[in-house]
Structures are given as C-alpha cells and as structure tokens.
Amino acid sequence: MTAAPVDRTAGQDDRGDLHVCDLDGTLLRSDATLSPFARDGLNQLLDAGLALTVASARSAAAMATLLAGVRLRLPVVELNGAFLTDLATGRHLAHRTLDADTTLVAIETLEALGTQAVLTTWDGAADHVHFGAGLNAGATWYIDEKRAYGDPRLRSRADVRAVARAEHTAAVIAFVPDDRAERAVAELEKALHGRGAVLAAANRYVPGWSEVQVAHPEAEKGRAVRNLAEAVGMADARLTVYGDHLNDLPMFSVADRRVAPVNAHPDVLARATAVTAANDEDGVVRHLLREEGPPCSS
C-alpha cells in the first residue's frame, strides 16, 4: 500500500524546484491536444529557467508530436515509468521492463479472456509497438491513433509471442469492455504472481472500452520521478507534480506539492494540495504562470 503523502513544503524553498506534469487530462485538453495558450505559457516558463518536464503513460514518440514546439530540456518519464528518456534523441537513460516469461504469461492470459495483446518493446536500439490482426475496437483505436501521427514504432506481427524473447517488453496492452475490466485484472494478477503490475482504466477517448496494462512492478511514476530527479542532479529539490488520474498517485506520494485539475479522479483530488481549473481551460498552465511565472503572467 502506498503511504499517505506528507506535505513538506514549509521552510524548504532553498532547495530549488522540480515540476513534473502528466499529459492526458492534465496538460492536454480533452481532445488530446495542447492548446496554443498552453504551449506559449510552457515556453515562457521554460525559457525563464523553470525546471519542468512530463511523466505520462504515453510514449516519447507521442510526446514529441503532442508537445511539438515546447522547449523541454529535462528527460521525460514515458510509459508510466518504464523508461526515463531524453526526448530530443529518444535515448533511454533507464528502463524497467518485463522478462520474457512474464510477458508470455500475460499474452496467454489475455488471449484466454478473448482479447489480443499489443506489445510495447525496446530491442536495445529502437522502440517498437507490435500488434496482430483482428484487433477489437479499443485496440484498433490505439494503433490508428499512432498511425495518424506517423509513429515509427508500429510493427504488424502474425504472432506477438515471437517478440517476447527477442526484445525488452515495456508494456503488454489490451482493451476489454468496461464491464470485463475487473475480471481481466483479477485473472492477470492471479497468473502473474506479482511478477507484473496490472493497471486498468476506462479509456477517455474510446467510450465503453478499458485499457488494461501489464508492466514491470517498478515501472510507476513515483519511482521514475525520483530517478529523474537524481539523474538531473535535483535529488534534493522541492518536487511539485501535476496529475489527474490513478496512475499519477505514485508520484503524488513522493511529492512535496501535488496539483490536480478540477476534472481529476476523486482519489487524486483528495490528495491534492492545490486544485486548478479544468484541463479544457488550461488550468495547470494558468496555475504555473500565476505561481512560477513573471508578475505579469495570468
């Protein structure tokens, strides 16, 4: 169980500040875009020297498209913590990936539940997304979204099992109808015996479908954010995180300040030290400009 977060902000302003933002539902609007206002606001903050980066369930390839024009300098946390990555080069600075046997068990368990697995992998040099034929509506959206922004990782495979022993698997991903998500999680947890962490959440972009993900137990945002701070020489910095969903709670548990937009999940709002306007109103960027920007910012 994750320990309740402790607010440690008082009297520690001399440590410097590191800000880490989630994307979907937090920085991005509900149509999965970053508004021109948000882009300009982030650049204003970054150009003024604010230490800010992102931690997302999305890949670096998606971030590069969604955040095009944003002048991030720090590494990013991608795939919920599976990778700590230099966004400019795509080089992974650290990784937490599944072993082959765990990946195969997850694939077989999902197939027994009537759904196909999509694998997000790293072959030691390049990232890939491997998928088979006959995908359901949720998984089809997942692949089509990547095709739309020209994701170079996509690889069609007759059988994704062949990938498991050849590459490092960052995540096993599948989509199930919402009313089957609870059973899918239970079956995966039973089969994996703790060798993989299982997360399921309703997909905000494909109503009726939940995304189920199996990842390394240490591939979570809290651990990844701590590793990020150490990697950039800011282990003692005051940490402020921004998020809206349950996968953000691990980084909420290690942060000094925890900010959520008003559209966040109730469990996230309950742990927030500050609540902003909704993501569709660019609430987080407006909060950052007000709290961290020049006096004229709004």
Side-chain angles (χ1 to χ4, degrees), residues 233-287:
M234 299 188 71
D236 294 326
R238 180 171 63 172
L239 175 64
T240 305
V241 300
Y242 306 77
D244 75 305
H245 208 51
L246 297 176
N247 64 328
D248 296 313
L249 288 178
M251 69 177 181
F252 269 45
S253 73
V254 302
D256 298 293
R257 298 182 296 184
R258 305 167 296 280
V259 182
V262 71
N263 54 279
H265 188 284
D267 291 353
V268 176
L269 290 171
R271 291 199 168 199
T273 55
V275 177
T276 75
N279 64 320
D280 285 329
E281 300 172 15
D282 299 316
V284 163
V285 175
R286 293 182 188 278
H287 173 89

Side-chain angles (χ1 to χ4, degrees), residues 142-269:
Y142 184 80
I143 298 301
D144 285 349
E145 185 205 36
K146 291 167 177 51
R147 284 199 180 106
Y149 61 75
D151 194 326
R153 301 174 303 151
L154 294 176
R155 299 289 186 276
S156 179
R157 287 272 188 172
D159 186 356
V160 295
R161 286 179 181 81
V163 178
R165 296 194 183 279
E167 301 182 15
H168 303 277
T169 299
V172 181
I173 297 165
F175 286 79
V176 299
D178 289 340
D179 60 0
R180 299 182 192 174
E182 187 174 343
R183 180 191 171 198
V185 171
E187 292 293 329
L188 283 163
E189 289 179 339
K190 179 180 177 182
L192 293 170
H193 301 291
R195 292 178 292 167
V198 185
L199 180 69
N203 187 289
R204 73 183 80 222
Y205 305 118
V206 192
W209 292 89
S210 288
E211 182 175 340
V212 180
Q213 182 177 125
V214 178
H216 191 284
E218 295 180 1
E220 46 90 0
K221 289 187 180 183
R223 186 183 298 268
V225 166
R226 290 195 299 268
N227 290 342
L228 165 68
E230 292 176 4
V232 300
M234 299 188 71
D236 294 326
R238 180 171 63 172
L239 175 64
T240 305
V241 300
Y242 306 77
D244 75 305
H245 208 51
L246 297 176
N247 64 328
D248 296 313
L249 288 178
M251 69 177 181
F252 269 45
S253 73
V254 302
D256 298 293
R257 298 182 296 184
R258 305 167 296 280
V259 182
V262 71
N263 54 279
H265 188 284
D267 291 353
V268 176
L269 290 171

Side-chain angles (χ1 to χ4, degrees), residues 2-65:
T2 302
V6 177
D7 196 341
R8 304 188 297 274
T9 60
Q12 298 193 35
D13 290 348
D14 60 339
R15 293 183 295 152
D17 293 276
L18 175 62
H19 299 261
V20 183
C21 295
D22 172 53
L23 285 181
D24 292 87
T26 303
L27 281 182
L28 301 184
R29 293 193 165 194
S30 296
D31 61 357
T33 64
L34 187 70
S35 75
F37 172 86
R39 181 172 284 102
D40 291 345
L42 290 172
N43 280 332
Q44 180 181 341
L45 292 159
L46 291 163
D47 291 347
L50 189 71
L52 180 147
T53 190
V54 300
S56 174
R58 288 186 181 267
S59 68
M63 292 181 199
T65 298

